[in-house]
Amino acid sequence: MSSHANPELDRLLVSPAMMVDPYPVYRRLRAEAPILWSDEWQAWVVSRYDDVAASLKDKENLSNENRQALLFNHLSDAERATLAPLRHYFAQKDVIGSDPPDHTRLRALVQKAFTPKTVASLEPRIRGLAADMLGEAVKLGRFDFVTEVAHPLPVILIAEMLGAPAKDRPLFKRWSSDILGFQGTGKTTFELAMVSQKSLVEMFDYMNALIDQRRAVPQDDVITALALAEESGRGFTRDELLATCNTLLTAGHETTTNLIGSLVHLLLSTGDSWKTLQAEPALIDSAIEEALRFEAPKQRNFRRIKKTHVFQGVELSENQMIFQLIGSANRDPDRFANPDAFDLRRAKNDHLSFGYGIHFCLGAPLARMEARVVLETLLGLAPGCRLVENGFKWQERVQFRGPGELWIEA
């Protein structure tokens, strides 16, 4: 077995099969090349649970700072110059793209806007949104759950939290999708990066104006809380604040949309799961955790190797990239019994879908609440709902996994 290169597996990483069902590829990676060098991704790829967890947690050898810079290495000087705004942004530090001690300060600032009390106070609004959206959808008889609920609810919520007017909400989804579009492997194309840059510049112009408004006239929203937050006498720089707004926008709904969609799909398509949940609603929290494990909303994470070191017998060189396959780790049989079964009663479920270590997702309690409220509302309004035949397809996103369409008959 080689821990370095496997051309056949490497080709599979960029095959259409990865969009539809990546798990057979993951299974082979864990067995044949748990630490793989990918020429296709220009990165190391780690697939076993223990190795993924260790590399997510490693602060000494791996870094989140300026990790996207590696994606532009193969572009021409002229292309890199044209992409200067995008490269400048991703060189900035935010709560995800930073290491200690900056990360410690930035996370403390963001936590001031996401206290348990703040998150709990959002539940009535989430319930109202879920009731309105599902109430209208159920009247249609047949509806696409992604279009009607899973996509708009998290977008509306994060837009409201940031203080954006309702008319601007469609911009948020487009910006988020575009900005993340060039990521997911260890290299990008100039064309994809240009799309990301255009939306990033638009979003920053918008957020700059919103930040200025809130500093002049504070409101009860996250933008105001972030703009005025201080930790040990220091607040955000403008670049840090803009980077944090982008992180909240992209992370604030992409993962949640995928979680809600996959959760409902799994419950309606797996045996008697839906009937079991109706009979035992106390299993809702367990169902959410199992959906997070079974279909990780974000399938992979990546970090920059900041110093050469040996990991599991393999030398990893400075300024190479390493991908942690969260979707693979969550299906590792060495960690989870019967990992390819969706089990509502799984007793121990220490999945990695919200990360691990100092970068554990700050928004995890909010995402879980959104999923719980939507599921409770669907159980109440459409207890007899079922999947429409041939009404499901996966979205085609490189690093995210969730339904692109999910047609339900109420």
Side-chain angles (χ1 to χ4, degrees), residues 161-163 210 213-225 228:
M161 290 173 67
L162 290 172
L210 203 58
Q213 290 172 15
R214 292 304 188 268
R215 281 184 166 160
V217 184
Q219 303 288 326
D220 185 19
D221 55 35
V222 170
I223 284 284
T224 300
L228 302 179

Side-chain angles (χ1 to χ4, degrees), residues 35-311:
I35 303 176
L36 171 79
W37 171 257
S38 169
D39 284 327
E40 295 286 353
W41 288 9
Q42 284 296 295
W44 293 100
V45 181
V46 180
S47 52
R48 290 178 178 171
Y49 183 99
D50 288 346
D51 294 338
V52 169
S55 60
L56 286 171
K57 196 175 181 180
D58 186 350
K59 296 180 292 185
E60 300 304 316
N61 300 302
L62 305 179
S63 172
N64 276 25
E65 289 186 1
N66 203 18
R67 53 187 176 158
Q68 284 86 356
L70 300 176
L71 302 175
F72 307 113
N73 282 349
H74 68 289
L75 300 179
S76 70
D77 290 343
E79 288 172 333
R80 285 164 52 82
T82 303
L83 292 168
L86 186 67
R87 292 169 52 230
H88 171 77
Y89 160 68
F90 280 111
Q92 305 309 307
K93 296 175 182 178
D94 71 349
V95 69
I96 294 178
S98 60
D99 301 330
D102 291 301
H103 173 266
T104 307
R105 174 180 64 87
L106 293 168
R107 189 174 177 96
L109 286 168
V110 175
Q111 279 181 316
K112 292 178 185 294
F114 282 90
T115 64
K117 182 179 178 181
T118 300
V119 172
S121 73
L122 294 169
E123 183 164 348
R125 177 56 177 155
I126 297 170
R127 288 202 177 277
L129 287 170
D132 289 346
M133 291 177 181
L134 280 166
E136 291 301 313
V138 167
K139 291 177 186 176
L140 299 173
R142 287 188 174 194
F143 62 95
D144 178 6
F145 181 78
V146 175
T147 300
E148 300 296 332
V149 183
H151 163 216
L153 189 150
V155 172
I156 290 172
L157 188 65
I158 196 64
E160 289 182 353
M161 290 173 67
L162 290 172
K167 66 181 177 64
D168 295 334
R169 291 169 191 159
L171 295 172
F172 279 55
K173 181 62 180 176
R174 176 173 64 81
W175 287 337
S176 176
S177 180
D178 287 352
I179 290 166
L180 293 172
F182 78 99
Q183 302 180 45
T185 69
K187 58 185 180 181
T188 188
T189 66
F190 177 68
E191 291 74 21
L192 276 176
M194 282 297 292
V195 171
S196 297
Q197 178 167 278
K198 180 178 182 296
S199 282
L200 187 77
V201 171
E202 287 179 12
M203 192 269 285
F204 278 0
D205 288 344
Y206 182 97
M207 287 297 178
N208 265 318
L210 203 58
I211 291 165
D212 290 340
Q213 290 172 15
R214 292 304 188 268
R215 281 184 166 160
V217 184
Q219 303 288 326
D220 185 19
D221 55 35
V222 170
I223 284 284
T224 300
L226 293 174
L228 302 179
E230 289 190 353
E231 178 67 19
S232 301
R234 288 183 63 192
F236 289 103
T237 66
R238 179 56 67 105
D239 278 343
E240 288 172 346
L241 184 51
L242 287 170
T244 298
C245 289
N246 178 53
T247 294
L248 294 178
L249 166 62
T250 54
H253 76 271
E254 291 281 356
T255 298
T256 309
T257 291
N258 293 335
L259 165 60
I260 293 172
S262 290
L263 172 64
V264 171
H265 177 244
L266 286 165
L267 288 169
L268 293 178
S269 64
T270 310
D272 291 329
S273 295
W274 185 250
K275 291 181 179 178
T276 299
L277 205 62
Q278 286 178 303
E280 300 180 64
L283 289 173
I284 285 178
D285 287 343
S286 176
I288 292 169
E289 297 309 306
E290 181 67 344
L292 282 162
R293 182 197 70 83
F294 196 81
E295 296 287 8
K298 185 179 181 183
Q299 288 279 301
R300 65 190 76 153
N301 185 66
F302 68 100
R303 305 187 73 190
R304 178 175 60 83
I305 299 167
K306 67 180 179 181
K307 65 181 182 182
T308 299
H309 65 289
V310 175
F311 181 67

